[in-house]
Amino acid sequence: MTADFTFAPATGVGSLPGGDAREAAKTATGSFEDFPFLAELPARGPGADMIGRTAGMLVELYARVEPSGWRIGDRPGRDTKRARSWLGEDLDAIEEFTQGYEGQLKVQAVGPWTLAAALELKNGEAALGDPGACRDLAGSLAEGLRQHLAEVQRRIPGARIVLQLDEPSLIAVLRGQIKTASGYRTHRAVDRQIVEATLRDVVGVHGDGPVVVHSCAPDVPFALLRRAGAAAISFDLGLLTERDDDAIGEAVESGTRLFAGVVPGTDGPLSDPAGSVMGVRTLWRRLGLHAGLLAEAVTVTPACGLAGASPGYARKALAHCAQAARSLADNPE
């Protein structure tokens, strides 16, 4: 990552409610003038969901929907075509709303380990259980991401693209908690060095561009993600415990950006913006970090994607993130 990259103070995680690409692009660009994101709309159905969308980006690997989930097949079928068509629609919409834009733009895709845990091989078992399949999948994903990033750059030439890899299943992969097809056993834990090396290869597709790894699961492996080359780590602040303090302190001191998820992802009352970032300030005091570092080190986001929210709440939540980030910058104490 280029050393001079400074992240903007607030952005979204990725998913939004509804199925209207133009409305989603308008919300994502209007909420964050300096850090919009390419919205995902899983409510449209298979192919717009997180796994299907990324499966549609794969090169020389194809997936189709089975009753049990997404399964790797031999040729592109209608599910692949649908996923690619929706992604094209989303790119058209964001291109329309970013004419002449120069600044940060975030795009999201599922990371290699969550993808390996979710995609089935022909025998119905997760690709995770086959080391060769995991390697093939990571290689195909890397090539697909390279093409996707180039396409986004072509459409929005002034964008400084930030790639986010979504890895909600990463901890379960490391701990051997992903169930086999029968549901009676689990796939064995993948060696941490293999997990790290594979992530490093996929992170590397963005060259000098920054990569964020997002996980809204507990026990995010901060040190492993840092070593794999993540410039920033995105997480649900409400799931942190004091056990995470040392790893977070080391991450901040090494220059890793924290994308702190502080605004609930589903409808509910929102506190005042200053109240939403109180947990960030508390963490800072506990770590003994300088308050002046806060705005430099933290980007404010929702706790997770907003696909399960109402459209009205989603818009309010994104606006709230921007206001909370301002509160953090104006009053770090």
Side-chain angles (χ1 to χ4, degrees), residues 53-63 72-73 80 84 109-112 115-116 119 127 132-149 165 198 201-202 205:
R53 185 181 181 88
T54 300
M57 294 180 194
L58 296 174
V59 172
E60 293 180 5
L61 276 180
Y62 310 101
I72 295 170
T80 299
R84 291 177 178 173
V110 176
L115 203 58
L119 285 183
C134 288
R135 281 193 298 275
D136 291 348
L137 195 53
S140 173
L141 173 64
E143 191 50 44
L145 286 173
R146 216 174 261 118
Q147 293 179 12
H148 178 53
L149 292 167
L165 295 174
T198 302
D201 288 345
V202 176
V205 304

Side-chain angles (χ1 to χ4, degrees), residues 178-200:
I178 301 291
K179 286 198 159 82
T180 56
S182 69
Y184 296 122
R185 294 186 305 111
T186 55
H187 291 281
R188 68 175 54 160
V190 182
D191 181 273
R192 294 181 81 87
Q193 287 179 312
I194 293 172
V195 168
E196 186 183 317
T198 302
L199 276 168
R200 190 180 300 113

Side-chain angles (χ1 to χ4, degrees), residues 241-268:
T241 68
E242 292 192 18
R243 286 200 314 272
D244 299 306
D245 282 5
D246 288 348
I248 291 173
E250 285 167 20
V252 172
E253 284 169 358
S254 73
T256 306
R257 183 81 171 190
L258 304 180
F259 279 43
V262 299
V263 178
T266 50
D267 292 39

